[in-house]
Amino acid sequence: MAFATLPLLLADESDTDALAQALALAWIQHGAPRLLVTLEGELGAGKTTFARAFLRALGVQGRIKSPSFSLVETYRIAIPDLQFKGTLQMPAYHIDLYRFSDPQEWEDSGLREIVGERGASLIEWPQHAQGLLPQADLSLSLVPSGTQRVGQLVAGSEVGMTMLNAVPERLKSG
Ligand SMILES: Nc1ncnc2c1ncn2[C@@H]1O[C@H](COP(=O)(O)OP(=O)(O)O)[C@@H](O)[C@H]1O
Ligand SMILES: [Mg+2]
């Protein structure tokens, strides 16, 4: 059941980066609970670009490869624990299901266990595991035209709703 849908208009890549940053910061401020974000859109829509900016905002340094060949790239993140003034150590997973030819591969991949643990998971091509993924906290879909992206953000949980509410006004359309 979706909580809310937000239409977006991203003029260029810096808007996509700004969207990812705002969402990542809202997640941290919410105490960084287990998170699943799904990313939909054709090849070149900007899914990996969004995921990179999201991971950067979580403090990931160095190269962020597209996981289209490796299936999953794992990062260790250390984010500020706003309640106890320390840091929270957890994994972040960047997953790309493009190469799945059958949703059953999701079950065989072991990704269900990974995504069910703590940390943040960003999944490109979630429709390639149609019906098998857990409910996403947030689903982003992107439709490209030039450098512009028409986007739609759907919140599927309370944390997703909190993140959706943190989207800067100027990125909203309509
Ligand atoms: N507004 C935008 N948002 C995201 N990417 C954009 C935007 N405008 C242009 N681009 C370019 O589009 C491409 C998107 O590629 P990528 O993020 O790998 O897409 P996907 O993972 O969806 O296949 C990149 O080359 C990026 O620089
Ligand atoms: Mg990609």
Side-chain angles (χ1 to χ4, degrees):
M1 220 10 223
F3 278 55
T5 300
L6 182 68
L8 302 167
L9 185 57
L10 309 170
D12 56 24
E13 200 169 327
S14 72
D15 276 358
T16 302
D17 289 350
L19 173 69
Q21 276 165 28
L23 295 173
L25 291 184
W27 178 64
I28 291 171
Q29 274 161 13
H30 198 72
R34 189 179 70 188
L35 179 73
L36 174 59
V37 178
T38 57
L39 304 170
E40 294 183 53
E42 63 185 61
L43 280 177
K47 303 179 295 297
T48 299
T49 300
F50 173 91
R52 278 199 184 102
F54 194 94
L55 291 165
R56 289 268 180 248
L58 300 183
V60 174
Q61 291 176 358
R63 186 152 176 253
I64 298 178
K65 289 201 300 177
S66 169
S68 50
F69 285 92
S70 54
L71 186 62
V72 53
E73 295 289 337
T74 305
Y75 302 92
R76 305 287 328 169
I77 55 174
I79 61 174
D81 181 342
L82 301 175
Q83 202 180 352
F84 299 107
K85 313 276 183 236
T87 54
L88 294 167
Q89 310 270 348
M90 63 182 75
Y93 302 104
H94 183 189
I95 295 166
D96 188 336
L97 306 182
Y98 183 65
R99 281 164 201 288
F100 276 14
S101 51
D102 186 312
Q104 183 58 34
E105 290 182 56
W106 171 258
E107 303 295 355
D108 302 336
S109 66
L111 288 170
R112 176 189 291 287
E113 287 69 32
I114 281 178
V115 165
E117 288 163 14
R118 71 206 183 91
S121 300
L122 300 158
I123 304 188
E124 300 184 40
W125 296 97
Q127 61 273 41
H128 286 191
Q130 192 91 56
L132 297 177
L133 291 187
Q135 167 77 50
D137 298 290
L138 215 50
S139 302
L140 174 66
S141 58
L142 296 169
V143 177
S145 100
T147 66
Q148 186 175 296
R149 300 292 182 268
V150 173
Q152 181 174 270
L153 203 51
V154 178
S157 71
E158 209 171 305
V159 61
M161 200 62 216
T162 304
M163 292 167 74
L164 184 144
N165 284 328
V167 172
E169 279 307 320
R170 66 178 185 83
L171 303 181
K172 299 177 185 174
S173 83

